[in-house]
Amino acid sequence: MADLNDKQTFSDEDALEFHRSPTPGKISMAPTKPMATQRDLSLAYSPGVAIPVLAIAADVDKAYDYTSKGNLVAVISNGTAILGLGNLGHMASKPVMEGKCVLFKRFADVDSFDVEVKTTDPDEFVTVVKNIGDTWGGVNLEDIKSPECFEIEARLQDLLDIPVFHDDQHGTAIISTAALINAAHVAGKRLEDLRVVLSGAGAAGLSSIALMKAAGVKLEHTIICDRQGVIYQGRDNVSQWQAAHAVDTPLRTLAEAMVGADVVLGLSAKGAITRDMVASMAPNPIIFAMANPDPEITPEDVLAVRSDAIMATGRSDYVNQVNNVLAFPYLFRGALDVRARRVNHEMKVACAKALAALAREDVPDEVAAAYRGRKLRFGRDYIIPTPFDPRLIWYIPPFVAQAAMDTGVARTPIQDMDAYRTQLRSRLDPSAALMQNISGAVRAAPNKRVVFAEGEETAVIRAAWGFKQAELGTPILLGREELIRKNAAEAGLNFDEMAIEIVNARVSEHNADYVDWLYERLQRRGYLKRDVQRMINQDRNYFGAAMCARGQADAMVTGVTRNFNMVLKEVRRVLDVKERMIGLSILLARGRTLFVADTSIHELPNAEELAEIAIQAAATVRKLGKTPRVAFLSYSTFGNPPGDRGEKVREAIRILDQRGVDFEYEGEMPPELALDPEARAAYPFMRLSSHANVLVMPAIHSAVISTRLVQQLGGATVIGPLLVGLEKSVQIVSLGASVSEIITAATFAAYDEGAVAEA
């Protein structure tokens, strides 16, 4: 096997085993409809399938409504240019095409499958794809050699009424254009003033130059070089696609062209660019060495001669990776969602500009986690987003869809772009729909003042800023102003522009009032006044909770720097329990929203406590816009086998029977009876009208272990535990919580009692 990368962290056998086990290949098919009953089979096939057949025969566009066409992309290749390895045959391309299908699904929830065409003749290839093209909502051409790829794409786009996109050309063009927009910004230069040199006049290079011109780079400021040197007007042995970019210039070599250049794009081969060439460039040179697996020049060589350079490569082990996965999933997502007839220049420019804009936003902690904790901030080492940025799915496609609508290639325009963004979030993040409803209710309610108790922590500062930007309420940071400003600046935030209130507990005008009030509350619990003074001065949980108790704030979020139990004890010394206090976790899995209680307060609840946990959980779920159906879970199924814990659950049911509560409940039972109504044939007396959505656990250990196990296995998203029942709204996040987790907790803290629409 060839040595593809001297820095790869796996062996050839590792790669083969990955593709071989446990099932050969990387993709499979899963049905979207149940096949559990005779009725299901009749609807899916004969005779039910005849109905959509007749509807599509009458109107072919109905295929988008009654089949998977609208979310289906074909990844098609003939294997003539596989990963820079050359023409290895159509079947050798299959692992790459399957990999592309995996990326479509993973990053944009686009279904796709691969088609390997056994021909190197462009006419035959076009004929094959033309005759099967109506099957899909779009076609992604891959690993087809230049210049045939230009002809094939152009002809297929004319012949088919769906988007046809050659990713090796246009994916690279979109990402490099996005990177150029931001690199120019960092360098303090304008696109229209940039002198750009291209090394490598193949498909990717020519498409990149073309898109950069569409974005603002001027034709007369570009020079293209191939193996023979500069492509100038009048030169022989150039293709029609290369000739379209030829300029009138006396320069004849790449070295000559790079003297004084602002930008060099490398899409050629290892070693094509030298240190001397880089040294001759203009100040703050922009160098995109994108050849794979080895760039035209390494960042180390560039740094040896230019400390002011802005560098990007095609590799993941250097900063600023030009990775096509940033473009093609989201470009197709937007195109498919408006049923676009083609991908045009305007859609590609919109995608590039959206990627550039996203890189200038604050970077979520989830991205740092994917990159081993490396903090990313817009600048020389971060000019394009990373593939694991969770915002890509909802940020990029709307710009693409809007461009398709504006240029008239969309069959079904999107009427509500905000609703579309919400729907996109839900595709890969099952918590998105619920959080959208909660956030909407918070914005619609009177503005809440939320205390961020650990205000000196960088993650908390960023969360407070995100909370304010999202118009979820008014954040208040507790801490020393000098340190907060310092940490904000290190995070790339201008605190004066943020305009967030800072409260220093030690010098607050309310300090004396809080001390007197809390001392009166605690004086018969063994506390001296000086103890209380120290608590208010030095512990922000006491001070923040006092702000809520005394009316200077409405809610509070804390817990980033201390464990849950310690924080809860401090808050409980200031605030009373209004109702039964519980921890309620929200578990989102396979299209279901489940609420699990109690996940943080009661270690081994007795029957009375189990009943009250159910009542509190049901009330909270109703406030969140859901109709509660409570199941008391147990190892026992209605008394079999018998045991003490099962008896406590049965007693809780008797208590609820006596109280006459206004929600459905049943127990004791294992999870399968609670969640699957069809499993209940042997228990016709069960009172739940459908599957349970509130699960009351018999003890805290079973609650915590089960939710964390499901989350760890990748089967669900878990929010919480949310703290319910205090007289004032306080949410305690987990130790070291991310920015998004803090914002989520703050949003629930600000949430009012008004119900929201069902998610």
Side-chain angles (χ1 to χ4, degrees):
M1 297 289 289
D3 183 11
L4 302 182
N5 188 336
D6 60 359
K7 289 191 176 183
Q8 71 182 35
T9 58
F10 54 83
S11 68
D12 291 349
E13 184 54 38
D14 288 336
L16 293 174
E17 181 62 22
F18 177 86
H19 285 79
R20 179 170 54 230
S21 300
T23 301
K26 291 178 291 224
I27 59 176
S28 65
M29 187 185 77
T32 61
K33 303 295 190 295
M35 290 292 117
T37 67
Q38 180 60 44
R39 183 174 185 273
D40 293 338
L41 292 176
S42 296
L43 286 169
Y45 201 59
S46 183
V49 74
I51 309 304
V53 166
L54 293 172
I56 295 170
D59 180 0
V60 293
D61 277 351
K62 290 295 182 183
Y64 284 100
D65 298 320
Y66 302 130
T67 75
S68 59
K69 175 183 171 100
N71 194 50
L72 194 60
V73 168
V75 181
I76 306 181
S77 180
N78 62 4
T80 53
I82 305 173
L83 290 180
L85 299 174
N87 183 358
L88 300 179
H90 68 292
M91 285 310 297
S93 74
K94 190 172 181 65
V96 183
M97 301 310 109
E98 283 191 355
K100 205 62 174 280
C101 295
V102 171
L103 298 179
F104 265 118
K105 189 64 177 179
R106 163 62 179 83
F107 290 103
D109 195 28
V110 172
D111 295 320
S112 59
F113 62 86
D114 58 299
V115 178
E116 288 76 38
V117 181
K118 187 181 179 180
T119 182
T120 59
D121 180 79
D123 292 333
E124 288 185 6
F125 188 96
V126 168
T127 298
V128 169
V129 179
K130 177 194 71 172
N131 288 331
I132 60 176
D134 286 345
T135 301
W136 308 287
V139 169
N140 185 101
L141 300 173
E142 193 79 16
D143 287 359
I144 301 171
K145 71 184 180 73
S146 176
E148 287 92 334
C149 60
F150 297 110
E151 176 189 352
I152 288 171
E153 182 193 32
R155 289 173 60 186
L156 284 173
Q157 187 61 87
D158 288 340
L159 291 167
L160 296 174
D161 201 26
I162 57 174
V164 178
F165 182 80
H166 184 214
D167 185 49
D168 298 306
Q169 294 181 60
H170 306 303
T172 303
I174 289 168
I175 309 308
S176 59
T177 300
L180 183 67
I181 291 170
N182 279 345
H185 180 84
V186 172
K189 301 178 181 182
R190 301 188 309 165
L191 288 182
E192 55 266 35
D193 297 331
L194 293 178
R195 288 190 56 210
V196 181
V197 176
L198 168 65
S199 171
L206 295 179
S207 294
S208 296
I209 280 290
L211 195 62
M212 289 174 182
K213 290 176 182 176
V217 173
K218 291 185 176 180
L219 169 64
E220 59 268 27
H221 291 169
T222 63
I223 294 179
I224 297 171
C225 300
D226 63 7
R227 290 185 181 91
Q228 283 72 49
V230 173
I231 296 176
Y232 54 89
Q233 288 182 1
R235 198 188 104 172
D236 296 330
N237 70 334
V238 296
S239 70
Q240 66 184 85
W241 296 280
Q242 293 171 331
H245 298 281
V247 293
D248 184 10
T249 176
L251 304 175
R252 292 296 181 263
T253 67
L254 176 62
E256 292 173 356
M258 284 183 60
V259 175
D262 297 292
V263 182
V264 61
L265 307 176
L267 284 155
S268 51
K270 177 182 179 181
I273 299 173
T274 67
R275 290 187 180 188
D276 288 342
M277 294 178 187
V278 170
S280 72
M281 295 179 70
N284 292 309
I286 298 166
I287 302 161
F288 294 171
M290 297 177 282
N292 267 319
D294 297 300
E296 288 80 359
I297 185 169
T298 66
E300 292 87 350
D301 281 338
V302 170
L303 184 61
V305 293
R306 297 298 296 258
S307 61
D308 60 341
I310 301 169
M311 183 82 184
T313 72
R315 290 174 58 143
S316 61
D317 49 358
Y318 292 121
V319 299
N320 296 325
Q321 183 191 18
V322 178
N323 191 327
N324 286 14
V325 78
L326 288 167
F328 69 83
Y330 312 110
L331 185 80
F332 269 101
R333 179 76 275 154
L336 291 172
D337 290 339
V338 293
R339 300 181 183 177
R341 299 182 183 277
R342 64 191 304 117
V343 171
N344 57 30
H345 245 6
E346 290 82 0
M347 294 163 71
K348 288 179 278 188
V349 170
C351 186
K353 289 183 176 179
L355 284 166
L358 180 60
R360 295 194 290 269
E361 301 279 349
D362 187 35
V363 183
D365 286 349
E366 292 87 342
V367 176
Y371 287 85
R372 300 180 182 179
R374 181 163 66 93
K375 295 295 183 183
L376 302 173
R377 193 172 80 188
F378 179 66
R380 292 178 182 272
D381 292 338
Y382 178 68
I383 55 175
I384 40 178
T386 63
F388 290 99
D389 192 321
R391 300 168 297 176
L392 287 161
I393 179 61
W394 59 262
Y395 195 99
I396 307 302
F399 289 95
V400 176
Q402 188 64 57
M405 292 156 53
D406 293 343
T407 55
V409 299
R411 285 184 178 86
T412 56
I414 294 169
Q415 303 300 325
D416 186 338
M417 202 58 78
D418 288 336
Y420 176 51
R421 290 187 180 91
T422 300
Q423 178 257 321
L424 288 170
R425 286 176 184 264
S426 302
R427 279 190 173 273
L428 297 181
D429 180 4
S431 67
L434 174 68
M435 287 309 304
Q436 183 69 21
N437 286 336
I438 299 300
S439 299
V442 169
R443 292 189 189 97
N447 185 67
K448 297 293 181 64
R449 290 167 56 83
V450 179
V451 176
F452 289 72
E454 296 141 310
E456 294 173 357
E457 298 297 313
T458 301
V460 176
I461 297 169
R462 291 172 56 206
W465 176 230
F467 184 80
K468 182 176 181 179
Q469 278 191 311
E471 299 179 340
L472 294 165
T474 301
I476 302 169
L477 290 170
L478 294 191
R480 291 163 290 181
E481 181 170 351
E482 181 180 353
L483 185 55
I484 290 174
R485 286 182 173 275
K486 175 178 176 291
N487 289 339
E490 290 180 356
L493 301 174
N494 185 322
F495 203 87
D496 291 329
E497 292 179 0
M498 294 168 69
I500 294 177
E501 181 182 355
I502 298 174
V503 174
N504 186 332
R506 188 180 293 274
V507 298
S508 168
E509 62 180 337
H510 298 291
N511 186 291
D513 173 58
Y514 293 169
V515 170
D516 291 342
W517 176 82
L518 188 57
Y519 177 58
E520 184 176 350
R521 178 181 172 85
L522 299 179
Q523 60 191 357
R524 295 182 182 276
R525 301 188 203 174
Y527 290 88
L528 300 175
K529 190 166 186 178
R530 63 173 177 265
D531 298 327
V532 175
Q533 181 74 66
R534 186 165 54 250
M535 290 156 64
I536 291 295
N537 281 352
Q538 299 179 6
D539 194 306
R540 290 167 197 143
N541 287 327
Y542 288 112
F543 190 91
M547 287 183 71
C548 296
R550 300 298 285 166
Q552 276 76 50
D554 301 294
M556 172 173 140
V557 61
T558 184
V560 175
T561 61
R562 299 189 192 177
N563 66 55
F564 182 93
N565 289 332
M566 180 180 294
V567 174
L568 183 60
K569 286 179 181 178
E570 293 170 347
V571 171
R572 284 282 288 107
R573 293 188 182 109
V574 183
L575 299 173
D576 290 327
V577 174
K578 181 175 62 174
E579 306 167 273
R580 168 69 61 177
M581 185 169 61
I582 67 170
L584 183 69
S585 292
I586 304 175
L587 191 153
L588 302 110
R590 297 185 180 180
R592 286 186 178 179
T593 301
L594 301 176
F595 301 86
V596 183
D598 173 11
T599 51
S600 63
I601 304 298
H602 299 86
E603 184 176 1
L604 288 171
N606 58 34
E608 180 71 27
E609 289 170 334
L610 284 171
E612 291 186 5
I613 288 170
I615 292 171
Q616 180 69 296
T620 303
V621 168
R622 186 168 279 134
K623 290 174 184 177
L624 293 173
K626 301 282 188 180
T627 300
R629 293 182 297 275
V630 179
F632 289 82
L633 296 192
S634 172
Y635 67 93
S636 175
T637 306
F638 300 112
N640 183 32
D644 290 343
R645 293 308 302 172
E647 178 54 38
K648 286 184 172 62
V649 174
R650 290 191 289 278
E651 178 60 25
I653 294 293
R654 290 191 285 269
I655 292 171
L656 293 181
D657 288 343
Q658 294 168 3
R659 293 192 182 182
V661 295
D662 62 348
F663 56 86
E664 294 181 18
Y665 58 93
E666 186 58 281
E668 81 279 23
M669 67 180 80
E672 60 268 25
L673 288 186
L675 300 177
D676 184 6
E678 294 186 6
R680 304 175 188 172
Y683 309 97
F685 54 84
M686 284 186 65
R687 296 177 284 192
L688 297 180
S689 61
S690 183
H691 70 270
N693 58 3
V694 181
L695 307 179
V696 176
M697 296 292 190
I700 195 171
H701 60 266
S702 55
V704 172
I705 290 171
S706 59
T707 52
R708 290 184 180 176
L709 181 61
V710 172
Q711 185 176 32
Q712 189 63 33
L713 291 174
T717 296
V718 178
I719 297 174
L722 305 175
L723 190 60
V724 177
L726 280 175
E727 62 172 319
K728 294 291 184 179
S729 183
V730 176
Q731 293 302 331
I732 303 173
V733 299
S734 60
L735 195 67
S738 69
V739 171
S740 61
E741 289 170 336
I742 300 168
I743 293 175
T744 295
T747 304
F748 275 101
Y751 180 66
D752 206 351
E753 295 189 356
V756 297
E758 289 232 8

